[in-house]
Amino acid sequence: MESTGIIIVAGGSGRRAGGARPKQFAFLAGMPVLARTINNFAAAMPGAEIVAVLPEQHIEFWNNLAARFDVAAHTVAAGGAERFDSVRNGLAALTTDPELIAVQDGVRPLGTAEMIRRVAAAAARHGAAVPVVEAVDSFRETEGEPDAEGVVPSRIVDRRRLRIVQTPQFFRAEVLRRAYETEYRAEFTDDASVVEAAGYRVCLAEGERGNLKLTTPEDFTVAEALIAAREEAGEERATTDAEHL
Ligand SMILES: Nc1ccn([C@@H]2O[C@H](COP(=O)(O)OP(=O)(O)OP(=O)(O)O)[C@@H](O)[C@H]2O)c(=O)n1
Ligand SMILES: C[C@](O)(CO)[C@H](O)COP(=O)(O)O
């Protein structure tokens, strides 16, 4: 297997989730979300270098919190204003020179090892790969401002052509590093968009519906239910500390 670096971006403020602290530090079934994400990757990709990118003002808080749990080895770097800036800081913080680099949302703790390795293998072969799932809702594209009756013009989008993009997003290291030499643009909502803008092709690998991004409070409820179901099925280690923030 290729040598691998994992950049876990957890430098956001978690505005949509609310709470006293950013959601990556909140507890999910007795363990901080970020600890779950880090441990998930350490288990899926043994030997990978892991860098967690955090809001600078929460680094000391995280170091103290992590010391109370069994969190796999990782280093910490300070985040930036946009996710793009946090990824860049994570790239600069890697101390090894891995062949593959993954970027993972710190708030996506539930991807399976099988899926993570599948995306890594696709990137090793094609240079860039992201996990996707098919859309199950209908989609409408809005066009312009509301009319006099307050109705926003819109039209249906053919969902058969749509895919919902997840993380981890894996790249050959030289592809990701070269792509991130550019300036930030608002349309860069993930790493594939940055890599594609640099002229590379992105391979779509099979993601998982259970690979949730914790964005709103409701997502925490769903994620807790998924963890409980997996524990019941014997797939999850029991957590050791039920204390909540
Ligand atoms: N400047 C930023 C912004 C986001 N992220 C990370 O990118 C991931 C996906 O972003 P999102 O879910 O949007 O997190 P937040 O930006 O924290 O959420 P919100 O937009 O609700 O504030 C998260 O792990 C988040 O911590 C980051 O590292 N640096
Ligand atoms: C990277 C990502 O999780 C892929 O789905 C997503 O684009 C992050 O978006 P957000 O606006 O930072 O939540």
Side-chain angles (χ1 to χ4, degrees):
M1 194 194 284
E2 287 77 7
S3 57
T4 307
I6 316 281
I7 299 170
I8 298 189
V9 283
S13 60
R15 182 185 48 81
R16 288 169 288 181
R21 293 201 178 80
K23 59 195 174 181
Q24 54 271 34
F25 307 119
F27 279 62
L28 182 68
M31 198 172 200
V33 169
L34 181 58
R36 285 188 174 273
T37 305
I38 290 172
N39 286 355
N40 215 22
F41 272 78
M45 311 231 75
E49 179 186 3
I50 299 178
V51 176
V53 187
L54 308 176
E56 192 158 19
Q57 66 274 24
H58 285 99
I59 289 179
E60 193 183 341
F61 171 79
W62 169 248
N63 287 336
N64 291 330
L65 183 63
R68 291 167 41 206
F69 292 87
D70 191 11
V71 186
H74 64 283
T75 54
V76 164
E82 305 290 341
R83 185 184 184 279
F84 177 92
D85 304 305
S86 295
V87 173
R88 245 197 193 164
N89 292 358
L91 274 172
L94 285 169
T95 58
T96 55
D97 190 16
E99 292 159 279
L100 281 185
I101 300 177
V103 184
Q104 166 68 18
D105 292 329
V107 295
R108 271 191 207 270
L110 298 180
T112 66
E114 189 188 12
M115 183 273 295
I116 292 168
R117 292 180 195 138
R118 178 162 67 232
V119 184
R125 185 153 177 224
H126 301 288
V130 301
V132 298
V133 292
E134 291 185 358
V136 293
D137 296 309
S138 294
F139 288 83
R140 300 193 75 83
E141 185 177 10
T142 59
E143 298 169 311
E145 298 303 311
D147 65 16
E149 292 174 23
V151 176
V152 178
S154 67
R155 63 174 174 195
I156 190 78
V157 172
D158 184 355
R159 77 172 180 197
R160 291 170 298 183
R161 297 175 55 190
L162 295 183
R163 297 293 180 270
I164 297 170
V165 180
Q166 306 178 332
T167 67
Q169 303 197 346
F170 271 89
F171 307 91
R172 281 208 289 268
E174 68 276 13
V175 169
L176 190 65
R177 287 191 188 282
R178 199 166 304 147
Y180 267 90
E181 282 168 9
T182 191
E183 292 305 308
Y184 171 71
R185 303 208 303 252
E187 65 264 30
F188 290 158
T189 56
D190 69 350
D191 312 290
S193 53
V194 181
V195 161
E196 195 169 56
Y200 297 101
R201 195 174 55 137
V202 175
C203 169
L204 304 185
E206 191 186 339
E208 293 171 330
R209 291 196 61 75
N211 180 22
L212 292 185
K213 179 162 82 68
L214 301 171
T215 305
T216 64
E218 294 77 18
D219 296 328
F220 279 76
T221 308
V222 176
E224 295 232 356
L226 279 173
I227 290 169
R230 288 182 187 182
E231 277 177 357
E232 215 172 286
E235 291 172 19
E236 282 271 336
R237 276 181 304 148
T239 50
T240 49
D241 190 335
E243 193 183 332
H244 281 57
L245 281 174

